[in-house]
Amino acid sequence: MKVLAAMSGGVDSAVAAARAVDAGHEVVGVHLALSRQRGTLRTGSRGCCTVEDALDARRAANLLGIPFYVWDFSERFAEDVVDDFIAEYQAGRTPNPCMRCNERIKFAAVLEKALALGFDTVVTGHYADIREGVDGHRELHRAATWAKDQSYVLGVLTAEQLAHSWFPLGATPSKDEVRAEAAERGLTVASKPDSHDICFIPDGDTRGWLADKVGAEDGDILDRDGNRLGTHAGAAAFTVGQRKGLNIGYPSPDGRPRFVLEVRPKTNEVVVGPKEALAISELAGAKHTWAGQAPADAESWFDCEVQVRAHGDPVAAEARVEVRGPAEALAEAGHASTTSGGARELVVRVREPLDGVAPGQTAVLYVGTRVLGQCTIDRTVSAVAPTLVDA
């Protein structure tokens, strides 16, 4: 095959590219320049996509003897990921920029360009597995290494994208084995730290970054009954489930910690309350996709597990696709998946309550190790009250 190896500058993508070369394919390496103002150096394991990362990727490609290019996707990354991140926080939602990057950049823009250039598949260093199901269709599965499994952030991939994707590290027993392999190959990234935090906020100060981008205006912190408990310096800096940084100044009447229950961007208010008030029994999202073939009857309840965080535990659930509300109402909210009777949304009911789930997060459905599909959460239903919390 003619293979495009997406090389981030880290050890995983370098070893994935090396394995593609070993398999006898025609491999070309590419590094994505995603920032318009890239820093010159990393800070330890914080951040990625820097000039240093590009140089590391080039050195790995040179060692493997494959052509190497840098593709500038900074403008599209700014629009589709960074601007989306800001807009979601302004709307009181909790976005996942890694999901948007995988969806709109790495497996949409890059794959589209790769296919146009005549490549057959795109190889990345993600820890996930693609298998052929009994019906002959490709399926996305968890990696062999649970601790490194990245199938959650790949849950946005469609059947067409899976048909042109390859994850050579999916069956590798451990990250230590990948590092050892890199060292044996002479790759200088063998001991390079894994990146973490949001790549475009490498110092980890999300609150400060948002304040600089969207501004911050003092507002009220309320309890569930609407009583004013204190003030904050900008609602966009808060997320549902947050405990630290409330700075109310005095304890709750029962002495228990307070958590953010709701963010109201229109009124610049933050609602707080006890931890048990975070529990939800149902979630739903109109923007949903299937990772491969959809269930045979998606409009009937089917058993599954749902995961709402990249490193969270899956919980037992049931799900189905429903039509909810007038099409116009949800279309105004930016949802295009509509019918003449309303919007089609994926509804998930959990067997046991989930804590701290916020609109904007991604819910990924699993059946065993297989990723079935995903949705961006628009609304949740409380497990302790009949209140519906809409975005």
Side-chain angles (χ1 to χ4, degrees), residues 275-283 306 308-309 313-317 348-357 381-385:
K275 181 177 177 60
E276 58 264 27
L278 289 169
I280 66 105
S281 60
E282 179 178 309
L283 58 87
V306 62
V308 295
R309 296 176 183 84
D313 293 326
V315 299
V348 182
R349 293 177 179 171
V350 293
R351 308 291 189 190
E352 296 181 3
L354 278 172
D355 286 342
V357 181
V381 176
S382 172
V384 296

Side-chain angles (χ1 to χ4, degrees), residues 135 137-139 159 162 290-296 370-372:
D135 57 0
H137 294 102
R138 300 190 103 193
E139 298 175 349
L162 287 176
W290 303 109
Q293 295 298 299
R370 182 192 169 191
V371 178
L372 187 62

Side-chain angles (χ1 to χ4, degrees), residues 104-129:
R104 300 174 184 177
I105 305 298
K106 295 177 181 177
F107 293 96
V110 172
L111 186 57
E112 178 183 346
K113 185 171 182 177
L115 293 177
L117 291 172
F119 288 94
D120 299 301
T121 192
V122 171
V123 164
T124 74
H126 285 96
Y127 286 80
D129 197 14

Side-chain angles (χ1 to χ4, degrees), residues 165-244:
S165 300
W166 181 18
F167 309 126
L169 305 188
T172 305
S174 72
K175 179 64 174 275
D176 289 340
E177 184 173 312
V178 172
R179 292 194 180 279
E181 180 179 336
E184 291 174 3
R185 293 176 180 274
L187 294 166
T188 58
V189 293
S191 60
K192 185 175 182 178
D194 293 339
S195 62
H196 66 82
D197 292 327
I198 300 170
C199 66
F200 51 87
I201 313 177
D203 64 1
D205 183 14
T206 303
R207 177 175 293 190
W209 188 88
L210 283 168
D212 181 62
K213 297 295 182 182
V214 304
E217 184 178 347
D218 290 351
D220 291 335
I221 298 177
L222 310 176
D223 65 16
R224 289 181 293 172
D225 296 322
N227 300 311
R228 183 176 178 275
L229 303 179
T231 61
H232 61 76
F238 294 86
T239 60
V240 171
Q242 180 177 330
R243 175 182 174 183
K244 297 181 179 179

